[in-house]
Amino acid sequence: MFNKSRLKVARQRAGLTMRELAARVGIEPRTVTGYEAGEYLPSDDVAQKFARVLGFPLEFFAADDLDIPQVEGVSFRSMSKMTARQRDGAIAAGAVAFLLSDWLDGQFDLPHADVPDMREELPQTAAAGLRDYWGLGNRPIKNMVHLLELKGVRVFSLGEDGKEVDAYSLWRGVRPYVFLNTQKSGERSRFDAAHELGHLVLHKHAAPNGLEAEKQANEFAAAFLIPEAPLRAAGRIAGLPKVVQLKQEWSVSVAAMAYRLHETGLLTKWNYQQIFIEISRRGWRTEEPAPIRREQSQIWQKVLSEVRRDEQLGLGGLSELLSLPEGELEKLLFGLVTVGVPSAPRTAPVTPPRGKLRIVK
């Protein structure tokens, strides 16, 4: 049986409108609309054309319904930069990620979600409360991706072309998800991760969209990554060199550190303005001084190491098990892992033994 939800996801992942897909397949646009609405089924010939044009195996379209994120439940880091086509493609990536995540749950014992609901708290209060709840104290957070994974958050990348497609997060039942644009600098990706964590704790199962929700998530991220107390211990800041030193200590962008210092009253308005002018003059809005290394995933490094050791599986075997193109799996893990996983042909379905992954702080 041809699955309408899978046709829509594959089309959106290919970045095509229904009219564009119809033109490539050689059918009427209204016909594609009917297929996606489930009004009727395509012939075998048309189904094969869909698979060829969209780059998905034919078996993908014959499997069960996909769990597709709802637009109103998705928190995008920035909606203004994206076109509707880019937004739909990024959300469709969530449906593919759910398939990979469900396979992961079936093969490994991983941490359950430990992300509290703090909807009644102010952003800065929630940030301090979550640090206390997780036992982080006021020390710098070494790795945001590792921390999220340790607390049961599934982290994926958005391997889309261009930086317009920004980070987003959502709850799927009891499991929180974060999708990061890993083409950004390491500092900005860390802030995105903290921003999305803010949405997860402040706007759980709500409609986390709009300027006010974004403002709250930004306030949370700044307070979570850079607690106020240790900043005050450093005293009033007068010059850019000290700002750069603190940005290295807390692994945030120099612009974010300057803003946080001004927000907490440690930079006067005049000093903040002068420092920001100098940051812009030096090109540090896009290229960071003393950049940090990009954060990577512990879970996916360990999982893919297991896949690599299984010569019968490989990434090609995993894509076959899930009826997904290898390219879709690679996009979801782009920037989160460093080691490529070679494909390996399989002669029979292989299910690796269930394992237990240990995540360290």
Side-chain angles (χ1 to χ4, degrees):
M1 185 68 72
F2 193 88
N3 193 305
K4 62 180 182 180
S5 69
R6 289 177 174 253
L7 174 59
K8 181 178 180 179
V9 165
R11 175 179 61 77
Q12 291 178 333
R13 291 302 300 142
L16 299 176
T17 65
M18 285 189 278
R19 182 175 295 277
E20 289 167 342
L21 177 58
R24 296 195 185 190
V25 174
I27 57 179
E28 292 296 320
R30 176 64 185 87
T31 306
V32 176
T33 303
Y35 292 152
E36 289 197 7
E39 295 174 3
Y40 34 82
L41 298 175
S43 65
D44 290 345
D45 179 61
V46 171
Q48 290 171 0
K49 288 180 179 178
F50 280 144
R52 184 173 64 253
V53 168
L54 298 175
F56 278 71
L58 189 60
E59 293 78 9
F60 172 81
F61 300 97
D64 295 336
D65 286 348
L66 287 177
D67 189 3
I68 303 174
Q70 299 300 308
V71 175
E72 59 272 13
V74 172
S75 156
F76 274 101
R77 180 77 173 84
S78 174
M79 287 286 288
S80 61
K81 301 176 185 178
M82 292 184 297
T83 64
R85 188 188 306 238
Q86 289 173 323
R87 179 204 63 200
D88 291 344
I91 290 177
V96 178
F98 292 165
L99 286 176
L100 185 54
S101 181
D102 290 345
W103 172 84
L104 189 69
D105 283 331
Q107 304 304 319
F108 300 97
D109 292 319
L110 294 167
H112 296 291
D114 187 21
V115 180
D117 184 348
M118 308 181 82
R119 279 178 283 185
E120 302 302 319
E121 304 289 347
L122 295 173
Q124 298 207 24
T125 305
L130 186 60
R131 271 183 164 268
D132 182 62
Y133 177 72
W134 283 350
L136 301 177
N138 281 329
R139 63 185 185 275
I141 296 170
K142 294 181 180 179
N143 190 304
M144 273 299 301
V145 172
H146 289 183
L147 177 62
L148 291 176
E149 291 180 330
L150 179 67
K151 300 306 177 181
V153 181
R154 286 286 152 78
V155 182
F156 292 95
S157 69
L158 289 169
E160 315 301 314
D161 293 332
K163 297 182 180 180
E164 297 82 11
V165 181
D166 227 325
Y168 75 86
S169 59
L170 73 157
W171 283 88
R172 181 194 181 206
V174 297
R175 176 73 70 183
Y177 288 76
V178 167
F179 294 80
L180 299 175
N181 184 329
T182 50
Q183 297 182 43
K184 292 185 175 183
S185 68
E187 290 89 347
R188 293 177 188 276
S189 187
R190 268 173 64 87
F191 195 90
D192 282 352
H195 176 101
E196 297 307 329
L197 176 60
H199 280 304
L200 292 174
V201 300
L202 293 172
H203 309 128
K204 185 174 182 180
H205 301 312
N209 297 308
L211 294 178
E212 183 59 28
E214 289 302 300
K215 180 175 179 291
Q216 291 172 356
N218 275 336
E219 290 176 1
F220 173 94
F224 187 76
L225 289 174
I226 319 167
E228 185 172 346
L231 281 188
R232 292 201 174 280
R236 188 172 291 275
I237 311 300
L240 183 57
K242 183 62 175 180
V243 177
V244 174
Q245 177 189 329
L246 289 171
K247 96 101 190 173
Q248 291 178 267
E249 180 180 347
W250 294 93
S251 299
V252 296
S253 72
V254 66
M257 177 54 72
Y259 182 84
R260 180 66 170 149
L261 290 167
H262 173 57
E263 184 183 45
T264 54
L266 296 172
L267 268 181
T268 66
K269 183 177 181 180
W270 186 87
N271 277 339
Y272 173 67
Q273 290 173 340
Q274 296 304 306
I275 284 174
F276 218 85
I277 289 171
E278 185 63 15
I279 288 173
S280 298
R281 188 187 70 79
R282 297 190 185 198
W284 288 351
R285 297 293 302 277
T286 53
E287 299 292 334
E288 288 291 327
I292 66 172
R293 293 182 62 183
R294 183 178 302 284
E295 295 181 349
Q296 297 188 322
S297 164
Q298 281 198 83
I299 284 181
W300 293 114
Q301 289 280 19
K302 293 175 183 292
V303 167
L304 294 185
S305 293
E306 292 296 321
V307 170
R308 289 176 66 238
R309 280 196 287 268
D310 187 341
E311 295 182 359
Q312 290 183 296
L313 188 61
L315 190 60
L318 181 56
S319 72
E320 186 178 341
L321 280 173
L322 301 177
S323 297
L324 290 170
E326 287 187 39
E328 288 298 314
L329 300 180
E330 291 168 353
K331 286 179 180 179
L332 289 169
L333 305 179
F334 176 78
L336 294 177
V337 292
T338 53
V339 181
V341 184
S343 299
R346 300 190 304 133
T347 56
V350 175
T351 302
R354 186 175 179 84
K356 185 176 183 64
L357 298 185
R358 187 171 67 90
I359 303 178
V360 298
K361 294 184 180 179

